[in-house]
Structures are given as C-alpha cells and as structure tokens.
Amino acid sequence: FKCDIALKSGTVLSLTQDNFKDDSIEFESSCLPGSRLELGATVAKSFSATLLNYNGEFSGKQFVGATCTPYVGVTTTSGVQWCIMGSYIVDECSKTYHSTISIKAVDMLLKAEKMFSQSVTFPCPLSSVLTACCNALGVTCAISSGVNYSATVNSFDDITSYTYRQVLGMIAAAMGGFCRMTRSNQLEIR
C-alpha cells in the first residue's frame, strides 16, 4: 500500500504502508446509497486511514481539503504492480498534534455538492448536461453512449436550484442507472 496526499498548500506527501497504523486502511464502495436499489442514485466511495505521527512529522499539516490517491500493490513475477484506488478529498481529520491522525475522505463526487452553475441552452441532448457537469467538477466522463444518452432535454425548470449531485442523479435516472466515480477518476453511469 502507498498513498500520495496532495495538501492544499501544494505539498505532496508520498507515504508508504509504514506511515499508517496496521489494519486502519479502509475502502467503502457500493452501488446503493442505502439498503435498497435507487434508480438515479449518486453513490460516493470513501477511504479512511490512520496516520502514525509518533515523531510529529505530520503535526500542524492541514489535511482537510487535501487529495488522497491511494494505491494497492500486487506482487507479480515482474515486480510490484500498483493499482490506483481512485482519488479522494479529505473531509474529516482528527487533531494533527496527536500520535495518530485519523483521516476520512470521499471520492470526487464530494465536489458535486455545490449548486449547478453551468450555462446550458435548452433544448439540448442529455449528454450536453452530463458534459457540463463533468466539466464543472473537473472530471472526465467514462461513457459516450447508453439509454437516452442522446435524448433531447427540452427544458429544465430552474436547473440552478439543484446541486450537481442532484442533476447527475436525474441524468442517471433518465439513463436507467446510477452514478459513481471509477478508480481512474472518471464519472460513470451504470
């Protein structure tokens, strides 16, 4: 296991398994927002871990808002192959002066909590609204076809009164699926 943490200050911490408390690294991923299937759900993945700070090397660092990019290594005959597990934005962090620091992070769908503010002219294809969302969130779209992908959206009552997450949910519902981020940080509707 290794993890790059890009702090908002611009500093990048390249950490290894030795920087983390044993058995503290957790990934949570689902296709359901709760216990039942919901058409149009936007489901975020999460990552949590506990950093070891016995020597104080992380004391005073601002982890909230940082971007974590964890990797899991698989040993093969040609060496360790690193598999990216996605990118996550830290939204919770314990005090950084303690001997351990707990971080909790959510994938790039965390950015979708802001209000929709893109300029979209209707009527337009559903794909144009999806592209506007992806552009605003700084992510790429993993799909280029699908049910209703090219369907025309004639109007959208006061689209700016919705968050990007809500708009993505409506797009996913129209396409008969749910929305999530892939491990390679692309938005997909499945």
Side-chain angles (χ1 to χ4, degrees):
F1 178 81
K2 67 179 183 178
C3 184
D4 294 328
I5 301 178
L7 302 175
K8 289 176 81 174
S9 66
T11 302
V12 176
L13 305 172
S14 294
L15 308 176
T16 66
Q17 177 72 42
D18 295 337
N19 296 109
F20 295 90
K21 184 177 177 185
D22 288 340
D23 299 325
S24 73
I25 299 163
E26 294 183 9
F27 295 94
E28 186 176 318
S29 181
S30 175
C31 63
L32 305 173
S35 60
R36 62 188 180 124
L37 180 62
E38 285 184 35
L39 196 62
T42 53
V43 184
K45 297 180 304 216
S46 64
F47 163 69
S48 62
T50 302
L51 288 165
L52 299 175
N53 193 36
Y54 298 125
N55 63 5
E57 72 178 297
F58 304 119
S59 294
K61 302 261 191 247
Q62 299 297 317
F63 286 99
V64 173
T67 302
C68 296
T69 307
Y71 300 82
V72 174
V74 177
T75 304
T76 66
T77 55
S78 58
V80 177
Q81 302 296 313
W82 292 102
C83 177
I84 188 170
M85 298 300 290
S87 289
Y88 301 82
I89 301 168
V90 177
D91 66 341
E92 290 182 37
C93 176
S94 64
K95 303 285 186 204
T96 60
Y97 57 80
H98 291 181
S99 60
T100 60
I101 302 168
S102 297
I103 59 170
K104 293 182 181 181
V106 179
D107 71 17
M108 294 301 170
L109 275 178
L110 183 64
K111 293 180 177 182
E113 295 302 329
K114 60 186 176 183
M115 299 306 288
F116 188 93
S117 61
Q118 292 296 103
S119 176
V120 179
T121 304
F122 294 97
C124 69
L126 187 63
S127 61
S128 294
V129 182
L130 178 60
T131 299
C133 289
C134 289
N135 290 342
L137 301 176
V139 299
T140 57
C141 189
I143 63 168
S144 58
S145 64
V147 175
N148 290 331
Y149 182 78
S150 300
T152 299
V153 179
N154 291 318
S155 66
F156 200 123
D157 293 337
D158 198 17
I159 194 169
T160 57
S161 67
Y162 296 97
T163 64
Y164 284 98
R165 187 181 191 114
Q166 290 170 315
V167 172
L168 287 169
M170 290 179 229
I171 293 169
M175 294 184 71
F178 65 94
C179 178
R180 71 175 187 174
M181 297 298 298
T182 67
R183 287 184 180 181
S184 57
N185 299 313
Q186 294 182 315
L187 187 129
E188 73 174 348
I189 296 175
R190 297 188 67 141

